[in-house]
Amino acid sequence: MYDFPNSSFVSAFKAYDIRGQLGSEITESFAYWVGRAYACWYRGEAGSISRVVVGSDARITSPALKSALAQGLRDEGVDVYDIGLCGTEEIYHATAFVESVSGQAFDGGIMVTASHNPIDYNGLKLVREGSKPISAADGLEQIKQQILDKNFAEVNSATRGAYYRSSFSGEYIRHLMGYVDTNKLKPLRVVVNAGNGAVGPTIDAIEQFLPIEMIKINHEPNGSFPNGIPNPMLLDQQAITADAVKKHNADLGLAWDGDFDRCFFFDEKGEFIDGYYIVGVLAEAFLRKGDNDAKIVHDPRLIWNTQAICEDFNAEAVESICGHSFIKKIMRERDAVYGGEMSAHHYFRDFAYCDSGMIPWLLMIELISERNESLSSIVGERVAAFACSGEINTKVVDADATIATVEGVYKAGANSVERLDGISLDMGSWRFNLRKSNTEPLVRLNVESKNGADEVALHTEKLLTLINA
Protein backbone atom coordinates (compact mmCIF):
# COMPACT_ATOMS: atom_id res chain seq x y z
CA MET A 1 0.00 0.00 0.00
CA TYR A 2 2.82 2.38 0.85
CA ASP A 3 5.70 2.49 -1.59
CA PHE A 4 9.16 3.43 -0.39
CA PRO A 5 9.70 7.18 -0.85
CA ASN A 6 12.40 8.36 -3.22
CA SER A 7 15.62 9.62 -1.68
CA SER A 8 14.54 13.27 -1.68
CA PHE A 9 13.03 12.66 1.77
CA VAL A 10 16.50 12.73 3.39
CA SER A 11 16.56 16.53 3.42
CA ALA A 12 13.55 16.50 5.74
CA PHE A 13 15.66 15.03 8.54
CA LYS A 14 16.83 18.03 10.56
CA ALA A 15 18.94 18.30 13.69
CA TYR A 16 16.00 17.92 16.10
CA ASP A 17 13.00 16.74 14.09
CA ILE A 18 11.66 15.82 10.66
CA ARG A 19 10.31 18.71 8.61
CA GLY A 20 9.89 19.34 4.91
CA GLN A 21 7.80 20.29 1.93
CA LEU A 22 4.67 18.33 1.18
CA GLY A 23 4.85 16.17 -1.92
CA SER A 24 8.58 16.40 -2.53
CA GLU A 25 9.77 15.45 0.96
CA ILE A 26 6.79 14.70 3.19
CA THR A 27 4.19 12.20 1.94
CA GLU A 28 1.86 9.66 3.51
CA SER A 29 4.16 6.86 2.32
CA PHE A 30 7.08 8.59 4.00
CA ALA A 31 5.11 8.89 7.27
CA TYR A 32 4.28 5.19 7.12
CA TRP A 33 7.93 4.19 6.78
CA VAL A 34 8.97 6.61 9.53
CA GLY A 35 6.56 4.75 11.80
CA ARG A 36 8.09 1.42 10.91
CA ALA A 37 11.68 2.68 11.09
CA TYR A 38 11.04 4.34 14.46
CA ALA A 39 9.74 1.05 15.86
CA CYS A 40 12.67 -0.93 14.43
CA TRP A 41 15.23 1.53 15.77
CA TYR A 42 13.58 1.62 19.20
CA ARG A 43 13.46 -2.17 19.36
CA GLY A 44 17.18 -2.26 18.65
CA GLU A 45 17.84 0.33 21.35
CA ALA A 46 15.56 -0.92 24.11
CA GLY A 47 14.83 -4.51 23.16
CA SER A 48 11.09 -4.02 22.78
CA ILE A 49 8.42 -1.44 21.96
CA SER A 50 4.72 -1.93 22.67
CA ARG A 51 2.88 1.38 23.08
CA VAL A 52 3.24 4.74 21.32
CA VAL A 53 1.04 7.84 21.59
CA VAL A 54 0.48 9.98 18.48
CA GLY A 55 -1.20 13.31 17.78
CA SER A 56 -1.38 16.04 15.17
CA ASP A 57 -1.69 19.78 14.76
CA ALA A 58 -4.40 21.69 12.87
CA ARG A 59 -2.86 21.48 9.39
CA ILE A 60 -5.17 20.01 6.77
CA THR A 61 -2.63 17.31 5.85
CA SER A 62 -1.82 16.27 9.42
CA PRO A 63 -4.61 13.70 10.05
CA ALA A 64 -3.76 11.70 6.90
CA LEU A 65 -0.05 11.74 7.71
CA LYS A 66 -0.83 10.63 11.26
CA SER A 67 -3.00 7.77 9.94
CA ALA A 68 -0.17 6.54 7.73
CA LEU A 69 2.29 6.88 10.62
CA ALA A 70 -0.03 4.81 12.82
CA GLN A 71 -0.27 2.14 10.14
CA GLY A 72 3.51 1.89 10.06
CA LEU A 73 3.75 1.56 13.82
CA ARG A 74 1.02 -1.07 13.93
CA ASP A 75 2.63 -3.09 11.15
CA GLU A 76 5.65 -3.37 13.46
CA GLY A 77 3.47 -4.73 16.25
CA VAL A 78 3.07 -1.46 18.19
CA ASP A 79 -0.20 -0.44 19.83
CA VAL A 80 -1.06 3.14 18.83
CA TYR A 81 -2.92 5.61 21.07
CA ASP A 82 -4.20 8.54 19.01
CA ILE A 83 -5.04 11.67 21.01
CA GLY A 84 -6.17 13.60 17.94
CA LEU A 85 -5.73 17.36 17.60
CA CYS A 86 -3.20 18.48 20.19
CA GLY A 87 -0.04 20.39 20.92
CA THR A 88 3.41 18.84 20.91
CA GLU A 89 3.58 19.20 24.68
CA GLU A 90 0.49 17.01 25.04
CA ILE A 91 2.50 14.22 23.41
CA TYR A 92 5.33 14.98 25.83
CA HIS A 93 2.93 14.89 28.78
CA ALA A 94 1.25 11.64 27.76
CA THR A 95 4.54 9.90 27.05
CA ALA A 96 6.10 10.95 30.35
CA PHE A 97 3.20 10.86 32.80
CA VAL A 98 0.20 8.84 31.54
CA GLU A 99 -0.43 5.10 31.60
CA SER A 100 -1.98 3.34 28.60
CA VAL A 101 -5.14 1.24 28.82
CA SER A 102 -2.89 -1.70 29.68
CA GLY A 103 -1.77 0.15 32.80
CA GLN A 104 1.76 0.64 31.52
CA ALA A 105 3.68 3.75 30.50
CA PHE A 106 4.13 4.67 26.87
CA ASP A 107 7.35 3.69 25.15
CA GLY A 108 7.36 6.85 23.05
CA GLY A 109 5.40 9.52 21.26
CA ILE A 110 5.22 11.12 17.82
CA MET A 111 3.65 14.46 16.92
CA VAL A 112 2.69 15.32 13.34
CA THR A 113 3.35 19.05 12.95
CA ALA A 114 5.18 21.68 10.97
CA SER A 115 4.71 24.23 13.77
CA HIS A 116 5.34 27.71 12.30
CA ASN A 117 6.51 26.62 8.83
CA PRO A 118 4.69 27.61 5.61
CA ILE A 119 1.36 26.00 4.76
CA ASP A 120 2.90 23.59 2.23
CA TYR A 121 5.12 22.00 4.91
CA ASN A 122 4.61 19.32 7.50
CA GLY A 123 6.74 17.06 9.68
CA LEU A 124 7.15 14.89 12.76
CA LYS A 125 8.62 15.28 16.23
CA LEU A 126 9.71 12.07 17.95
CA VAL A 127 10.44 11.18 21.57
CA ARG A 128 11.23 7.96 23.41
CA GLU A 129 10.28 6.80 26.92
CA GLY A 130 9.95 9.56 29.48
CA SER A 131 9.73 12.02 26.57
CA LYS A 132 13.47 11.93 26.10
CA PRO A 133 14.35 13.67 22.82
CA ILE A 134 15.27 11.89 19.61
CA SER A 135 17.63 14.06 17.56
CA ALA A 136 20.13 13.55 14.76
CA ALA A 137 22.70 12.48 17.34
CA ASP A 138 20.27 10.18 19.16
CA GLY A 139 18.25 8.23 16.64
CA LEU A 140 17.10 10.33 13.69
CA GLU A 141 20.10 9.43 11.56
CA GLN A 142 19.53 5.73 12.20
CA ILE A 143 15.83 6.04 11.40
CA LYS A 144 16.68 7.79 8.13
CA GLN A 145 19.22 5.14 7.22
CA GLN A 146 16.76 2.35 7.98
CA ILE A 147 14.36 3.77 5.39
CA LEU A 148 17.16 4.25 2.85
CA ASP A 149 18.27 0.65 3.36
CA LYS A 150 14.68 -0.64 3.09
CA ASN A 151 15.59 -3.02 5.86
CA PHE A 152 12.21 -4.27 7.07
CA ALA A 153 10.67 -7.66 7.77
CA GLU A 154 7.42 -8.83 6.18
CA VAL A 155 4.30 -7.64 8.00
CA ASN A 156 2.79 -10.30 10.25
CA SER A 157 -0.96 -9.74 10.50
CA ALA A 158 -1.15 -11.94 13.59
CA THR A 159 1.07 -9.61 15.61
CA ARG A 160 -0.22 -6.31 14.22
CA GLY A 161 -0.65 -3.59 16.82
CA ALA A 162 -4.00 -2.27 18.04
CA TYR A 163 -5.38 1.23 17.53
CA TYR A 164 -7.06 3.29 20.26
CA ARG A 165 -8.62 6.73 20.17
CA SER A 166 -7.61 8.30 23.45
CA SER A 167 -7.78 11.54 25.42
CA PHE A 168 -5.56 12.59 28.27
CA SER A 169 -6.66 16.23 28.29
CA GLY A 170 -7.94 16.12 31.86
CA GLU A 171 -4.64 14.81 33.23
CA TYR A 172 -2.73 17.37 31.14
CA ILE A 173 -4.79 20.33 32.37
CA ARG A 174 -4.44 19.19 35.99
CA HIS A 175 -0.69 19.00 35.50
CA LEU A 176 -0.56 22.54 34.14
CA MET A 177 -2.54 23.94 37.05
CA GLY A 178 0.04 22.55 39.45
CA TYR A 179 2.51 25.27 38.44
CA VAL A 180 0.54 28.21 39.85
CA ASP A 181 -1.40 29.19 42.94
CA THR A 182 -4.71 30.45 41.55
CA ASN A 183 -5.43 32.22 44.85
CA LYS A 184 -2.60 34.62 44.03
CA LEU A 185 -3.89 35.55 40.59
CA LYS A 186 -5.42 38.94 39.91
CA PRO A 187 -8.37 39.35 37.50
CA LEU A 188 -6.22 40.28 34.51
CA ARG A 189 -7.53 40.91 31.01
CA VAL A 190 -5.51 38.84 28.55
CA VAL A 191 -5.56 38.69 24.74
CA VAL A 192 -4.97 35.14 23.53
CA ASN A 193 -4.16 34.74 19.83
CA ALA A 194 -4.28 31.07 18.84
CA GLY A 195 -3.37 31.89 15.24
CA ASN A 196 -5.95 29.27 14.14
CA GLY A 197 -3.47 26.66 15.32
CA ALA A 198 -4.00 23.82 17.80
CA VAL A 199 -3.98 25.78 21.07
CA GLY A 200 -7.60 27.01 21.10
CA PRO A 201 -9.17 23.92 22.73
CA THR A 202 -6.51 23.87 25.45
CA ILE A 203 -7.15 27.54 26.23
CA ASP A 204 -10.86 26.75 26.50
CA ALA A 205 -10.18 23.83 28.84
CA ILE A 206 -7.96 25.81 31.20
CA GLU A 207 -10.01 29.02 31.21
CA GLN A 208 -12.48 27.78 33.85
CA PHE A 209 -9.72 27.48 36.44
CA LEU A 210 -8.39 31.03 36.10
CA PRO A 211 -9.84 34.31 37.41
CA ILE A 212 -8.91 36.16 34.24
CA GLU A 213 -10.82 37.55 31.28
CA MET A 214 -9.67 36.05 27.99
CA ILE A 215 -10.13 37.95 24.74
CA LYS A 216 -9.84 35.26 22.09
CA ILE A 217 -8.77 36.04 18.53
CA ASN A 218 -8.18 33.67 15.59
CA HIS A 219 -9.26 31.06 18.10
CA GLU A 220 -10.71 28.18 16.11
CA PRO A 221 -8.28 25.60 14.68
CA ASN A 222 -8.25 26.02 10.90
CA GLY A 223 -5.60 24.32 8.80
CA SER A 224 -6.06 26.75 5.92
CA PHE A 225 -4.80 29.52 8.27
CA PRO A 226 -7.09 32.30 7.00
CA ASN A 227 -5.32 34.88 9.16
CA GLY A 228 -1.78 33.83 8.22
CA ILE A 229 0.61 31.12 9.36
CA PRO A 230 0.76 30.96 13.17
CA ASN A 231 4.29 32.28 13.47
CA PRO A 232 4.46 35.10 16.05
CA MET A 233 8.00 35.95 14.95
CA LEU A 234 6.56 37.47 11.75
CA LEU A 235 5.91 41.20 12.07
CA ASP A 236 2.46 41.04 10.47
CA GLN A 237 1.44 38.33 12.94
CA GLN A 238 2.81 40.35 15.86
CA ALA A 239 0.72 43.31 14.74
CA ILE A 240 -2.50 41.28 15.06
CA THR A 241 -1.86 40.56 18.74
CA ALA A 242 -0.46 44.02 19.48
CA ASP A 243 -3.49 45.76 17.97
CA ALA A 244 -5.87 43.57 19.96
CA VAL A 245 -4.04 44.34 23.22
CA LYS A 246 -4.38 48.07 22.60
CA LYS A 247 -7.97 47.84 21.35
CA HIS A 248 -9.17 45.92 24.41
CA ASN A 249 -6.94 47.71 26.95
CA ALA A 250 -5.55 44.34 27.99
CA ASP A 251 -2.94 43.68 30.68
CA LEU A 252 -1.10 41.14 28.55
CA GLY A 253 -1.06 39.62 25.09
CA LEU A 254 -0.17 36.01 24.23
CA ALA A 255 0.40 34.26 20.91
CA TRP A 256 1.51 30.75 19.99
CA ASP A 257 2.95 28.90 17.03
CA GLY A 258 0.99 26.10 15.36
CA ASP A 259 1.76 23.29 17.82
CA PHE A 260 1.98 25.72 20.77
CA ASP A 261 5.33 24.56 22.11
CA ARG A 262 6.37 28.23 22.04
CA CYS A 263 4.54 31.14 23.69
CA PHE A 264 5.18 34.81 22.84
CA PHE A 265 4.44 37.79 25.06
CA PHE A 266 3.17 41.34 24.53
CA ASP A 267 2.99 43.90 27.31
CA GLU A 268 -0.01 46.09 28.12
CA LYS A 269 1.16 48.64 25.53
CA GLY A 270 1.13 46.02 22.80
CA GLU A 271 4.93 45.85 22.67
CA PHE A 272 6.45 42.50 21.69
CA ILE A 273 8.84 41.24 24.39
CA ASP A 274 12.16 39.82 23.24
CA GLY A 275 12.51 36.16 24.26
CA TYR A 276 15.80 36.89 26.03
CA TYR A 277 14.06 38.90 28.73
CA ILE A 278 11.31 36.31 29.10
CA VAL A 279 13.98 33.76 30.07
CA GLY A 280 15.04 36.02 32.93
CA VAL A 281 11.46 36.72 34.02
CA LEU A 282 10.59 33.01 34.11
CA ALA A 283 13.79 32.27 36.02
CA GLU A 284 12.66 34.82 38.60
CA ALA A 285 9.19 33.26 38.70
CA PHE A 286 10.71 29.92 39.70
CA LEU A 287 13.31 31.36 42.05
CA ARG A 288 10.63 33.28 43.94
CA LYS A 289 9.12 29.92 44.84
CA GLY A 290 12.15 29.33 47.06
CA ASP A 291 13.80 26.36 45.40
CA ASN A 292 17.04 26.04 47.38
CA ASP A 293 20.19 25.63 45.30
CA ALA A 294 18.15 26.05 42.13
CA LYS A 295 19.88 25.83 38.78
CA ILE A 296 18.74 27.74 35.69
CA VAL A 297 19.95 26.69 32.23
CA HIS A 298 20.23 29.26 29.45
CA ASP A 299 21.75 29.43 25.98
CA PRO A 300 24.99 31.39 25.34
CA ARG A 301 23.68 34.00 22.90
CA LEU A 302 22.64 36.57 25.52
CA ILE A 303 23.44 35.83 29.15
CA TRP A 304 23.99 38.80 31.44
CA ASN A 305 20.38 39.47 32.41
CA THR A 306 19.69 35.83 33.30
CA GLN A 307 22.94 35.56 35.23
CA ALA A 308 22.18 38.72 37.20
CA ILE A 309 18.74 37.44 38.22
CA CYS A 310 20.25 34.15 39.33
CA GLU A 311 22.81 36.04 41.42
CA ASP A 312 20.00 38.02 43.08
CA PHE A 313 18.42 34.76 44.25
CA ASN A 314 21.67 32.94 45.02
CA ALA A 315 20.97 30.46 42.22
CA GLU A 316 23.34 28.98 39.68
CA ALA A 317 23.14 29.95 36.02
CA VAL A 318 24.31 27.18 33.69
CA GLU A 319 25.18 27.76 30.02
CA SER A 320 24.23 25.24 27.36
CA ILE A 321 24.65 24.91 23.62
CA CYS A 322 21.54 26.07 21.76
CA GLY A 323 19.02 23.41 20.84
CA HIS A 324 16.46 21.41 22.75
CA SER A 325 18.41 18.14 22.94
CA PHE A 326 21.41 19.95 24.49
CA ILE A 327 19.29 21.98 26.90
CA LYS A 328 17.33 18.92 28.05
CA LYS A 329 20.49 16.88 28.48
CA ILE A 330 22.24 19.40 30.70
CA MET A 331 19.05 20.05 32.67
CA ARG A 332 18.83 16.36 33.47
CA GLU A 333 22.52 16.22 34.38
CA ARG A 334 22.31 19.26 36.67
CA ASP A 335 18.72 18.74 37.87
CA ALA A 336 17.87 22.27 36.75
CA VAL A 337 14.40 23.55 37.62
CA TYR A 338 14.07 25.61 34.43
CA GLY A 339 15.84 26.16 31.14
CA GLY A 340 15.17 28.84 28.55
CA GLU A 341 16.26 29.83 25.08
CA MET A 342 15.73 33.28 23.62
CA SER A 343 13.98 31.52 20.71
CA ALA A 344 10.97 31.14 23.08
CA HIS A 345 11.56 27.51 23.99
CA HIS A 346 11.13 27.07 27.73
CA TYR A 347 11.91 23.80 29.53
CA PHE A 348 10.74 22.59 32.93
CA ARG A 349 12.11 19.91 35.24
CA ASP A 350 8.64 18.94 36.45
CA PHE A 351 7.49 18.60 32.83
CA ALA A 352 10.00 15.82 32.12
CA TYR A 353 12.54 18.51 31.17
CA CYS A 354 10.44 19.22 28.08
CA ASP A 355 9.45 22.52 26.51
CA SER A 356 5.98 23.94 26.98
CA GLY A 357 4.09 26.90 25.57
CA MET A 358 1.46 26.82 28.32
CA ILE A 359 3.49 26.79 31.53
CA PRO A 360 5.32 30.07 30.72
CA TRP A 361 2.24 32.27 30.56
CA LEU A 362 0.75 30.71 33.69
CA LEU A 363 3.94 31.57 35.56
CA MET A 364 3.87 35.04 34.02
CA ILE A 365 0.37 35.93 35.20
CA GLU A 366 1.27 34.65 38.66
CA LEU A 367 4.42 36.82 38.74
CA ILE A 368 2.56 39.92 37.48
CA SER A 369 -0.05 39.32 40.19
CA GLU A 370 2.53 38.78 42.95
CA ARG A 371 4.59 41.81 42.07
CA ASN A 372 1.52 43.91 41.32
CA GLU A 373 3.35 45.43 38.38
CA SER A 374 2.75 45.61 34.66
CA LEU A 375 4.77 43.46 32.31
CA SER A 376 6.28 46.58 30.75
CA SER A 377 7.55 47.64 34.17
CA ILE A 378 8.96 44.21 35.02
CA VAL A 379 10.72 43.87 31.67
CA GLY A 380 11.62 47.55 31.35
CA GLU A 381 13.99 47.48 34.31
CA ARG A 382 15.81 44.53 32.76
CA VAL A 383 16.06 46.17 29.33
CA ALA A 384 17.51 49.27 30.97
CA ALA A 385 20.13 47.21 32.77
CA PHE A 386 21.02 44.91 29.86
CA ALA A 387 20.18 46.25 26.41
CA CYS A 388 20.44 43.83 23.49
CA SER A 389 20.32 43.76 19.72
CA GLY A 390 18.08 40.78 19.28
CA GLU A 391 19.27 38.08 16.90
CA ILE A 392 20.46 39.34 13.51
CA ASN A 393 20.88 36.81 10.70
CA THR A 394 23.25 37.48 7.81
CA LYS A 395 23.83 35.33 4.72
CA VAL A 396 27.51 34.62 4.13
CA VAL A 397 29.54 32.54 1.70
CA ASP A 398 31.58 30.75 4.36
CA ALA A 399 30.25 30.90 7.92
CA ASP A 400 33.35 29.39 9.53
CA ALA A 401 35.65 31.84 7.76
CA THR A 402 33.43 34.78 8.75
CA ILE A 403 33.46 33.75 12.41
CA ALA A 404 37.24 33.31 12.33
CA THR A 405 37.69 36.78 10.83
CA VAL A 406 35.53 38.42 13.49
CA GLU A 407 37.34 36.60 16.27
CA GLY A 408 40.67 37.66 14.83
CA VAL A 409 39.67 41.33 14.94
CA TYR A 410 38.19 41.34 18.46
CA LYS A 411 39.97 38.71 20.55
CA ALA A 412 42.97 40.85 21.51
CA GLY A 413 40.71 43.34 23.30
CA ALA A 414 38.42 40.74 24.87
CA ASN A 415 38.29 39.87 28.56
CA SER A 416 37.39 36.32 27.56
CA VAL A 417 36.67 34.20 24.51
CA GLU A 418 34.33 31.21 24.77
CA ARG A 419 33.53 28.66 22.06
CA LEU A 420 30.66 26.73 23.62
CA ASP A 421 28.40 27.58 20.67
CA GLY A 422 30.05 29.72 18.02
CA ILE A 423 32.15 32.41 19.67
CA SER A 424 31.26 34.59 22.66
CA LEU A 425 33.54 37.53 23.44
CA ASP A 426 33.28 39.57 26.63
CA MET A 427 34.47 43.09 25.79
CA GLY A 428 33.97 44.58 29.26
CA SER A 429 30.83 46.70 29.18
CA TRP A 430 29.47 44.77 26.21
CA ARG A 431 29.67 41.29 24.72
CA PHE A 432 28.58 39.43 21.62
CA ASN A 433 27.93 35.92 20.39
CA LEU A 434 28.35 34.90 16.75
CA ARG A 435 27.32 31.43 15.67
CA LYS A 436 26.46 29.70 12.42
CA SER A 437 23.16 28.16 11.45
CA ASN A 438 22.98 24.36 11.35
CA THR A 439 20.71 24.40 8.30
CA GLU A 440 21.34 27.59 6.30
CA PRO A 441 24.35 29.61 5.04
CA LEU A 442 23.87 32.14 7.82
CA VAL A 443 25.66 33.57 10.80
CA ARG A 444 23.59 34.71 13.78
CA LEU A 445 24.74 37.74 15.78
CA ASN A 446 23.64 38.83 19.26
CA VAL A 447 25.06 41.86 21.08
CA GLU A 448 24.34 43.04 24.62
CA SER A 449 25.56 45.91 26.78
CA LYS A 450 25.51 47.18 30.34
CA ASN A 451 25.62 50.76 29.04
CA GLY A 452 22.37 50.94 27.12
CA ALA A 453 20.99 50.75 23.61
CA ASP A 454 23.39 53.29 22.09
CA GLU A 455 26.40 51.11 22.84
CA VAL A 456 24.57 48.08 21.44
CA ALA A 457 23.80 49.96 18.22
CA LEU A 458 27.39 51.20 17.86
CA HIS A 459 29.01 47.78 18.15
CA THR A 460 26.29 45.98 16.21
CA GLU A 461 26.92 48.28 13.25
CA LYS A 462 30.69 47.66 13.42
CA LEU A 463 30.24 43.92 13.61
CA LEU A 464 27.77 43.81 10.72
CA THR A 465 30.15 45.88 8.58
CA LEU A 466 32.89 43.33 9.27
CA ILE A 467 30.56 40.36 8.65
CA ASN A 468 29.40 41.80 5.33
CA ALA A 469 32.89 42.79 4.16
Side-chain angles (χ1 to χ4, degrees):
M1 181 178 178
Y2 294 103
D3 294 330
F4 279 103
N6 63 49
S7 60
S8 63
F9 77 83
V10 298
S11 57
F13 280 80
K14 310 299 184 186
Y16 310 117
D17 58 17
I18 299 169
R19 194 170 6 101
Q21 194 160 30
L22 290 162
S24 61
E25 296 171 308
I26 304 295
T27 63
E28 290 174 34
S29 290
F30 172 64
Y32 170 83
W33 290 107
V34 168
R36 293 198 63 178
Y38 169 91
C40 290
W41 166 79
Y42 198 110
R43 194 175 293 118
E45 287 282 303
S48 66
I49 177 171
S50 302
R51 297 157 296 273
V52 170
V53 59
V54 301
S56 56
D57 67 12
R59 289 171 186 260
I60 293 170
T61 57
S62 291
L65 290 169
K66 180 180 62 178
S67 178
L69 168 72
Q71 296 276 12
L73 289 164
R74 294 177 66 197
D75 280 352
E76 288 293 336
V78 177
D79 291 344
V80 172
Y81 295 74
D82 183 354
I83 63 174
L85 176 72
C86 65
T88 296
E89 66 189 70
E90 290 181 79
I91 294 293
Y92 294 157
H93 171 264
T95 305
F97 299 110
V98 176
E99 291 184 344
S100 66
V101 293
S102 63
Q104 295 176 291
F106 289 108
D107 297 308
I110 303 178
M111 176 70 179
V112 178
T113 181
S115 185
H116 61 282
N117 286 112
I119 198 166
D120 59 338
Y121 277 66
N122 217 320
L124 304 100
K125 296 180 179 179
L126 296 73
V127 293
R128 56 185 299 168
E129 82 284 349
S131 285
K132 295 174 184 175
I134 297 175
S135 65
D138 302 296
L140 282 183
E141 281 297 315
Q142 292 95 320
I143 290 169
K144 178 179 71 176
Q145 193 60 48
Q146 178 105 17
I147 301 173
L148 285 170
D149 292 343
K150 303 180 182 179
N151 183 24
F152 299 92
E154 291 293 323
V155 174
N156 183 347
S157 59
T159 59
R160 195 162 187 264
Y163 175 82
Y164 303 96
R165 290 191 181 275
S166 305
S167 175
F168 308 119
S169 177
E171 295 97 319
Y172 166 63
I173 296 301
R174 285 192 291 275
H175 182 96
L176 292 179
M177 295 311 302
Y179 289 87
V180 293
D181 182 349
T182 55
N183 294 318
K184 294 181 179 180
L185 303 182
K186 294 185 178 298
L188 303 173
R189 176 179 289 182
V190 181
V191 166
V192 291
N193 180 1
N196 300 117
V199 75
T202 298
I203 293 294
D204 293 339
I206 204 170
E207 181 179 18
Q208 62 183 305
F209 300 105
L210 302 173
I212 64 177
E213 177 187 354
M214 289 187 173
I215 299 155
K216 302 172 182 177
I217 60 175
N218 303 335
H219 194 68
E220 296 301 318
N222 186 336
S224 63
F225 301 129
N227 300 290
I229 295 295
N231 181 1
M233 291 301 292
L234 300 177
L235 294 179
D236 59 340
Q237 289 297 301
Q238 291 180 12
I240 294 172
T241 309
D243 290 346
V245 169
K246 289 181 279 191
K247 176 182 177 181
H248 295 282
N249 194 29
D251 298 294
L252 180 68
L254 304 169
W256 292 266
D257 56 8
D259 62 336
F260 66 92
D261 63 349
R262 291 189 298 161
C263 179
F264 299 82
F265 292 85
F266 299 75
D267 68 19
E268 75 283 359
K269 301 174 185 177
E271 294 293 324
F272 179 78
I273 307 301
D274 191 288
Y276 169 44
Y277 299 108
I278 298 299
V279 173
V281 172
L282 294 180
E284 178 183 342
F286 268 112
L287 296 174
R288 279 178 171 269
K289 295 179 183 292
D291 190 342
N292 294 330
D293 301 318
K295 298 176 180 65
I296 304 294
V297 175
H298 60 89
D299 70 61
R301 286 172 283 188
L302 297 166
I303 65 173
W304 279 343
N305 179 59
T306 306
Q307 289 178 346
I309 288 172
C310 288
E311 288 175 8
D312 289 345
F313 287 89
N314 197 32
E316 181 182 354
V318 181
E319 280 189 53
S320 168
I321 297 173
C322 298
H324 82 97
S325 61
F326 298 109
I327 296 278
K328 292 173 181 177
K329 182 176 184 292
I330 199 166
M331 284 184 70
R332 289 177 187 273
E333 291 174 351
R334 303 297 300 274
D335 193 32
V337 66
Y338 163 71
E341 294 184 272
M342 54 178 284
S343 58
H345 283 286
H346 302 283
Y347 310 85
F348 305 91
R349 179 179 62 195
D350 294 338
F351 196 59
Y353 301 97
C354 291
D355 40 332
S356 166
M358 297 299 290
I359 299 169
W361 70 267
L362 290 170
L363 292 169
M364 185 67 78
I365 62 174
E366 183 180 57
L367 183 65
I368 290 172
S369 298
E370 278 189 9
R371 289 185 54 169
N372 196 28
E373 292 183 61
S374 66
L375 181 56
S376 67
S377 174
I378 293 172
V379 173
E381 65 185 35
R382 311 311 307 179
V383 174
F386 303 102
C388 76
S389 63
E391 190 156 85
I392 303 168
N393 296 323
T394 305
K395 287 187 177 181
V396 294
V397 175
D398 186 333
D400 290 323
T402 299
I403 292 172
T405 296
V406 171
E407 180 180 353
V409 171
Y410 281 91
K411 67 179 180 181
N415 291 340
S416 66
V417 179
E418 295 182 357
R419 297 181 180 85
L420 178 65
D421 196 348
I423 56 170
S424 297
L425 278 74
D426 182 338
M427 307 302 296
S429 64
W430 67 282
R431 68 177 291 279
F432 72 92
N433 173 268
L434 185 66
R435 56 191 288 270
K436 65 179 181 179
S437 167
N438 290 324
T439 57
E440 301 173 87
L442 300 173
V443 290
R444 308 186 191 279
L445 173 67
N446 285 275
V447 182
E448 62 183 324
S449 168
K450 298 174 183 176
N451 288 339
D454 288 345
E455 184 171 61
V456 168
L458 172 66
H459 294 296
T460 299
E461 182 179 359
K462 290 181 178 179
L463 281 160
L464 288 176
T465 298
L466 182 59
I467 290 168
N468 286 303

